[in-house]
Amino acid sequence: MNRRLFFTVLLACLLPFAVQAQQGTFRFAQLTDLHLSPNNPNPTEDLLRSVAQINATDSLDFVLVTGDLTEEGDRATMEKVKSCLDLLKVKYYVALGNHETKWSDSGCTAFGEIFGGERFEFEHKGFLFLGFNSGPLMRMAYGHVVPQDIRWMTERMNAYQAGSSQLSTLNSQLSTPIILVTHYPLTEGDVDNWYEVTDAVRPYNIRLFIGGHYHSNRDLQYDGIPGILMRSNLRDKDGKPGYGIYEVTKDSILVYTQRIGEPKKQWAAFSLTQQYYDRNGKAEKYPDFSVNKEYAQVKEQWVVQTGAGIYCSPAVEKDKVFVGDDMGRLTAYALKKRPKAMELPSRKKNCRHTGSR
């Protein structure tokens, strides 16, 4: 056996032990659908009771807060939420819900200003956590994940995978385990481009999606990828607020509901060694575009990928088409087979368009 082959075999034998050493056991909590309101004191009381119980619980490493922090999305109530969450003794990470994206008095800018951004990323004991916005682009529309957030996710996952490239080369199961955090479930009827998200992330070692939105415990699959929705923190019919607890062991993720003043109850579990989906596959279903065949006189002239969401109608002037995107850019495209873009200056670099898609 030559030297290179010997070290390759030795590395392959030692990798499972190295991965176990990097991935320690830990526990974390999930708060979701808080719905604080200036007109109802109960949600604030529910949140404070949950914060107090989390603080009294040993061995919780952090808290995920998965959207719908407020009822109306107003700045004052979001600041109230932050003041309550700041009472936690452990670090917390916050994702937006639909009530923060289109129920807003700030043009959707307050959330990032108050909580420090609309995404989060952190590594904990060998796991990568990524949180991002899945909220609607206009009030009462379906949820949507914008192209720049999908690109951000893949870039961050690639960066972490690069650090374990030797692991993934020898055994794809040993690459960095990833937990993705949203508010909406990534399903048809909830997020209109769910398939773009699942296709983008499935090549990676996704162990779980964590979310909320439906105010009840649900064990789902997003094109085969496991997904958990947790109950709302709001008091239930018995007057008990509640939240989620996750225990990550060497080989599993155990999911519990924790009601105030009661023992936690396990209701789901996921293997960290079993592969739940085909990492080389595609979404199980795509939207039906067959209506395009009914209008043969309408033909595609050219396509350009802007890398950002476009949610308002374009304007045509002579030989150019003008398009605004949700990065605050106004771009002029030449009406030719191969468009040449010319970005025009914009005064609002962080605005969000709310026109129809």
Side-chain angles (χ1 to χ4, degrees):
M1 181 182 296
N2 64 43
R3 182 183 295 271
R4 178 174 296 178
L5 179 60
F6 172 77
F7 282 113
T8 300
V9 173
L10 179 62
L11 180 60
C13 293
L14 292 178
L15 279 176
F17 301 101
V19 171
Q20 283 189 352
Q22 293 174 0
Q23 296 174 6
T25 60
F26 60 96
R27 301 167 69 217
F28 63 92
Q30 178 193 1
L31 290 164
T32 193
D33 296 275
L34 314 178
H35 290 281
L36 267 65
S37 169
N39 303 314
N40 182 0
N42 289 346
T44 301
E45 180 183 331
D46 295 342
L47 176 57
L48 290 173
R49 292 176 68 188
S50 294
V51 167
Q53 183 160 297
I54 289 172
N55 284 340
T57 304
D58 293 333
S59 303
L60 287 177
D61 290 13
F62 56 87
V63 178
L64 301 178
V65 187
T66 56
D68 280 5
L69 314 182
T70 70
E71 184 63 24
E72 301 295 336
D74 59 290
R75 180 183 294 272
T77 307
M78 277 194 273
E79 289 173 343
K80 177 65 175 178
V81 173
K82 186 176 187 301
S83 70
C84 295
L85 294 175
D86 284 347
L87 297 174
L88 287 165
K89 294 180 180 179
V90 295
K91 193 163 186 177
Y92 65 88
Y93 303 88
V94 185
L96 293 92
N98 49 293
H99 282 251
E100 284 74 60
T101 51
K102 290 304 163 199
W103 281 256
S104 170
D105 63 355
S106 68
C108 306
T109 61
F111 183 93
E113 294 170 1
I114 293 169
F115 293 101
E118 295 188 356
R119 307 166 177 154
F120 65 75
E121 166 196 356
F122 67 97
E123 185 273 337
H124 189 76
K125 294 188 176 180
F127 283 74
L128 174 62
F129 289 78
L130 298 175
F132 56 95
N133 184 14
S134 59
L137 298 162
M138 54 188 296
R139 192 163 185 166
M140 302 310 296
Y142 287 136
H144 184 82
V145 181
V146 296
Q148 53 268 36
D149 281 352
I150 296 176
R151 184 172 63 251
W152 169 79
M153 275 192 291
T154 57
E155 287 174 352
R156 299 318 303 146
M157 290 188 290
N158 283 335
Y160 277 84
Q161 299 295 67
S164 58
S165 58
Q166 289 181 313
L167 306 185
S168 56
T169 299
L170 291 167
N171 186 344
S172 62
Q173 296 285 348
L174 299 178
S175 54
T176 304
I178 299 165
I179 294 178
L180 299 176
V181 184
T182 66
H183 177 67
Y184 277 93
L186 270 295
T187 53
E188 182 181 13
D190 291 298
V191 174
D192 59 11
N193 64 333
W194 83 93
Y195 53 94
E196 293 181 341
V197 180
T198 58
D199 276 357
V201 305
R202 68 187 305 113
Y204 305 90
N205 188 15
I206 310 299
R207 303 316 310 182
L208 193 62
F209 271 91
I210 292 177
H213 189 58
Y214 279 111
H215 292 212
S216 61
N217 297 337
R218 300 194 184 188
D219 181 353
L220 304 173
Q221 288 193 343
Y222 309 149
D223 290 326
I225 305 172
I228 281 290
L229 302 184
M230 189 60 66
R231 62 155 287 173
S232 168
N233 185 70
L234 297 173
R235 63 191 66 180
D236 54 28
K237 62 182 180 180
D238 299 321
K240 296 289 186 75
Y243 51 91
I245 297 288
Y246 296 77
E247 293 185 356
V248 180
T249 71
K250 293 294 185 182
D251 59 7
S252 304
I253 301 177
L254 309 179
V255 185
Y256 301 82
T257 294
Q258 175 71 72
R259 295 212 303 176
I260 298 298
E262 297 181 0
K264 65 182 187 297
K265 294 183 180 180
Q266 183 181 340
W267 60 274
F270 301 92
S271 171
L272 288 174
T273 57
Q274 175 185 347
Q275 189 63 43
Y276 288 97
Y277 62 94
D278 181 4
R279 289 173 67 170
N280 296 313
K282 292 289 184 181
E284 298 167 358
K285 182 181 179 181
Y286 291 92
D288 182 7
F289 296 108
S290 59
V291 67
N292 294 336
K293 298 178 182 179
E294 299 178 16
Y295 302 91
Q297 72 276 20
V298 179
K299 296 182 179 180
E300 181 180 279
Q301 295 299 308
W302 48 258
V303 176
V304 59
Q305 292 289 342
T306 67
I310 297 174
Y311 311 114
C312 58
S313 299
V316 177
E317 175 67 21
K318 296 182 180 179
D319 62 344
K320 293 183 175 61
V321 57
F322 297 85
V323 181
D325 63 38
D326 72 348
M327 296 293 288
R329 300 176 302 202
L330 179 63
T331 306
Y333 294 99
L335 290 177
K336 298 178 181 179
K337 290 185 178 181
R338 296 184 63 84
K340 182 178 180 180
M342 177 181 65
E343 186 174 325
L344 302 179
S346 173
R347 294 182 180 179
K348 295 183 179 180
K349 287 296 183 182
N350 296 314
C351 68
R352 288 179 177 272
H353 292 283
T354 57
S356 60
R357 292 194 295 277

